[in-house]
């Protein structure tokens, strides 16, 4: 069977300081993300071979093929693994801040009217997600940009939408530094977005 493993971060744990502190990054990666990986592997251990070997993105896009006994675990921990693997790559070290540019800039301006309007809508999606979840910029099946939020570790792939940018708004992602001030964390997120990666995701099939 496919055994999932924790991916390395593409930067040091302190690379996102002071926006996201080193301790939060370390616990988030080595404890929270590792747990999703472990529990995904444990759930799949009892699955039929074709399910074990199916691409995780395809599984999440078509959860009904997963045996009912492990479907919830695959949704939560498979989603958790995929969402976090993407999230790490969407952050840019504070030493090398990125300006939005390229095709994503053009499409954001066209779709939302301006970057500020996009930021406002994305922030609202993040701040209004009650409890734990994610805010997303996604590409729909017809190739349109859209802002959504999802509960828990649900992936946009479950709605047939491709994630281009995602923000983890679980308290574990920000509580040590920001406590209850999620809006401040969301505001600061815009300073550490890896737009190069977003452009790559937009360009990929
Ligand atoms: Mn998280």
């Amino acid at each position: 069977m496919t055994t999932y493993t924790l991916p390395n971060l593409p930067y040091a744990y302190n690379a996102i300081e002071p926006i996201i502190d080193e301790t939060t990054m370390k616990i988030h990666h080595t404890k929270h993300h590792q747990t999703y990986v472990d529990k995904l592997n444990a759930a799949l251990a009892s699955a039929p071979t074709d399910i074990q070997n199916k691409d995780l993105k395809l599984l999440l896009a078509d959860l009904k093929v997963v045996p009912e006994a492990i479907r919830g675990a695959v949704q939560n921990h498979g989603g958790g693994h995929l969402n976090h693997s993407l999230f790490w790559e969407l952050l840019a070290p504070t030493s090398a801040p990125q300006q939005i540019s390229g095709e994503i800039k053009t499409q954001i301006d066209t779709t939302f009217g301006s970057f500020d309007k996009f930021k406002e809508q994305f922030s609202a999606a993040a701040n209004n997600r009650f409890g734990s979840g994610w805010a997303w910029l996604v590409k729909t099946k017809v190739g349109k940009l859209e802002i959504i939020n999802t509960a828990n570790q649900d992936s946009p792939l479950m709605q047939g939408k491709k994630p281009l940018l995602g923000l983890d708004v679980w308290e574990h992602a920000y509580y040590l530094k920001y406590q209850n001030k999620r809006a401040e964390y969301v505001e600061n997120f815009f300073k550490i977005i890896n737009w190069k990666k977003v452009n790559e995701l937009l360009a990929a099939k």
Side-chain angles (χ1 to χ4, degrees):
M1 68 174 267
T2 307
T3 301
Y4 293 94
T5 55
L6 186 69
N8 290 323
L9 292 189
Y11 37 70
Y13 285 116
N14 65 1
I16 317 297
E17 291 262 9
I19 309 291
I20 304 176
D21 62 283
E22 180 174 3
T23 306
T24 296
M25 287 298 290
K26 203 176 277 179
I27 294 172
H28 200 174
H29 180 246
T30 65
K31 305 294 184 197
H32 292 278
H33 189 169
Q34 181 71 60
T35 300
Y36 299 125
V37 170
D38 293 345
K39 291 193 171 174
L40 173 62
N41 286 329
L44 287 175
S46 69
T49 312
D50 60 319
I51 298 295
Q52 288 179 338
N53 293 330
K54 193 166 173 164
D55 185 279
L56 182 57
K57 289 178 183 171
L58 298 178
L59 272 187
L60 288 169
D62 192 19
L63 275 170
K64 64 180 187 303
V65 304
V66 178
E68 208 175 341
I70 60 165
R71 195 178 298 153
V74 170
Q75 177 176 343
N76 290 331
H77 303 294
H81 175 45
L82 211 62
N83 291 344
H84 286 82
S85 298
L86 181 62
F87 183 58
W88 308 132
E89 295 192 11
L90 288 167
L91 304 181
T94 39
S95 60
Q98 294 187 19
Q99 293 295 317
I100 186 170
S101 65
E103 182 60 21
I104 193 67
K105 181 179 188 325
T106 306
Q107 290 200 22
I108 280 178
D109 287 345
T110 307
T111 307
F112 304 101
S114 68
F115 183 79
D116 284 347
K117 285 188 180 136
F118 157 73
K119 186 179 168 186
E120 199 177 294
Q121 279 186 47
F122 187 94
S123 301
N127 290 321
N128 297 338
R129 172 78 257 167
F130 181 76
S132 296
W134 292 72
W136 302 98
L137 173 68
V138 298
K139 186 160 82 174
T140 66
K141 276 180 187 154
V142 295
K144 195 174 175 298
L145 295 191
E146 194 177 278
I147 291 165
I148 61 169
N149 61 31
T150 58
N152 304 314
Q153 293 297 348
D154 287 358
S155 165
L157 296 170
M158 290 164 53
Q159 305 175 25
K161 294 167 181 173
K162 182 186 169 175
L164 302 176
L165 178 66
L167 176 58
D168 187 344
V169 294
W170 284 57
E171 281 189 346
H172 69 225
Y174 64 85
Y175 199 83
L176 281 185
K177 183 178 167 76
Y178 295 91
Q179 287 87 45
N180 61 321
K181 295 179 288 249
R182 185 193 286 187
E184 204 176 298
Y185 161 72
V186 172
E187 174 70 26
N188 279 338
F189 170 65
F190 287 90
K191 299 173 188 164
I192 49 165
I193 295 173
N194 182 350
W195 290 109
K196 186 168 172 280
K197 181 69 188 177
V198 181
N199 265 311
E200 281 171 23
L201 292 167
L202 180 66
K205 265 203 299 177

